[in-house]
Structure formats: structure tokens, C-alpha cells
């Protein structure tokens, strides 16, 4: 079912707010509070799933697998191709753990802020 949804409308797996964050992240690194406030409007699962989608597509691009989004996502996450595959896999593992913790968060904005901080890091 999910595969058919992806085929029919692949853009639904990439929340516009998350895409915008990646496109502007060079200028917002110093203003993470503002962007976390904006992303606070998204359901937390949508945010994490969008990040997972982007990082998964970036990993596929690094492995040479082509899809509709691989080049687009690689340009969003790692345009200069400097982030190692191991780092990308660690980010996906972190996001999967975060996804399981979405039911437990007490402060949504703090939770989003920590996710964004981890996703911005190059290590």
C-alpha cells in the first residue's frame, strides 16, 4: 500500500516545511529556535518520517541507486558529498529511535530542536 502511495504521489513523503528547512539550513544554523517553532506546527511523526525519507534517499544516492528523489535529496542533505555513509546511517538509526519515542516526548519543541540539532551535525 505504501509503495503504491509513493508511486502515485511521491511528494507526500516530503513535508514542505522540512524541505524548506534543508534548503535554507546554511542560513538558519544560528537561528534553530525559529525553525523549530515553525516545524512545531507539523505532527511530530510527519517531521520524523520526512527526515527519514530524505536521509534514506540520500543513502541510496550514495550507494548509486537512482530514484525520482535520490539526486534531489542528495542535493538537500549533502550537496558536496562530504558526509560519510556511516554518518548517514547513524542519522537514520537516531531518527528511527526518535520515531519510537514520539509517544513519550513531553516538550514537543525541545524534541524537535534536538532532532534538528542531530540532523544538522556532520558527525
Amino acid at each position: 500500500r505504501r509503495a503504491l502511495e509513493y508511486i502515485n504521489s511521491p511528494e507526500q513523503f516530503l513535508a514542505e516545511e522540512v524541505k524548506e528547512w534543508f534548503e535554507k539550513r546554511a542560513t538558519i544554523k544560528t537561528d534553530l529556535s525559529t525553525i523549530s517553532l515553525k516545524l512545531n506546527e507539523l505532527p511530530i511523526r510527519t517531521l520524523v518520517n520526512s527526515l527519514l525519507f530524505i536521509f534514506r534517499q540520500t543513502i541510496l544516492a550514495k550507494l548509486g541507486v537512482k530514484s525520482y528523489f535520490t539526486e534531489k535529496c542528495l542535493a538537500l542533505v549533502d550537496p558536496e558529498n562530504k558526509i560519510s555513509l556511516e554518518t548517514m546511517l547513524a542519522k537514520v538509526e537516531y531518527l528511527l529511535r526518535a520515531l519510537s519515542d514520539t509517544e513519550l516526548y513531553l516538550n514537543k519543541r525541545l524534541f524537535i530542536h534536538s532532532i534538528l540539532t542531530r540532523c544538522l551535525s556532520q558527525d
Side-chain angles (χ1 to χ4, degrees), residues 40-44 105-113:
N40 194 38
E41 299 167 11
L42 278 177
I44 195 76
Y105 68 85
L106 299 175
N107 184 326
K108 183 178 179 182
R109 190 164 175 210
L110 181 61
F111 190 69
I112 290 172
H113 195 318

Side-chain angles (χ1 to χ4, degrees), residues 55-56 58-63 74 77-92 119 121-123:
F55 285 120
R56 180 181 177 275
T58 302
I59 289 169
L60 290 174
K62 286 181 176 291
L63 293 173
L74 181 62
V77 175
D78 191 16
E80 297 168 4
N81 204 16
K82 290 183 178 179
I83 303 173
S84 72
L85 184 59
E86 292 77 22
T87 298
M88 296 303 298
L89 290 170
K91 289 177 188 288
V92 167
C119 290
S121 71
Q122 299 278 321
D123 54 353

Side-chain angles (χ1 to χ4, degrees), residues 10-24:
E11 65 281 346
Q12 77 170 339
F13 289 89
L14 183 56
E16 191 59 38
E17 296 88 348
V18 176
K19 183 177 175 236
E20 180 181 323
W21 170 66
F22 271 103
E23 290 170 342
K24 297 179 179 178

Side-chain angles (χ1 to χ4, degrees), residues 3-93:
L4 289 174
E5 288 174 4
Y6 175 75
I7 290 169
N8 291 329
S9 56
E11 65 281 346
Q12 77 170 339
F13 289 89
L14 183 56
E16 191 59 38
E17 296 88 348
V18 176
K19 183 177 175 236
E20 180 181 323
W21 170 66
F22 271 103
E23 290 170 342
K24 297 179 179 178
R25 72 183 172 169
T27 59
I28 61 168
K29 280 186 181 182
T30 57
D31 195 14
L32 205 52
S33 299
T34 303
I35 196 67
S36 64
L37 184 60
K38 183 174 183 177
L39 291 174
N40 194 38
E41 299 167 11
L42 278 177
I44 195 76
R45 292 186 73 79
T46 301
L47 171 65
V48 175
N49 281 324
S50 291
L51 291 169
L52 278 168
F53 178 78
I54 290 171
F55 285 120
R56 180 181 177 275
Q57 293 301 318
T58 302
I59 289 169
L60 290 174
K62 286 181 176 291
L63 293 173
V65 177
K66 302 273 187 221
S67 77
Y68 177 77
F69 277 110
T70 51
E71 297 210 8
K72 187 182 294 189
C73 289
L74 181 62
L76 286 175
V77 175
D78 191 16
E80 297 168 4
N81 204 16
K82 290 183 178 179
I83 303 173
S84 72
L85 184 59
E86 292 77 22
T87 298
M88 296 303 298
L89 290 170
K91 289 177 188 288
V92 167
E93 287 177 24

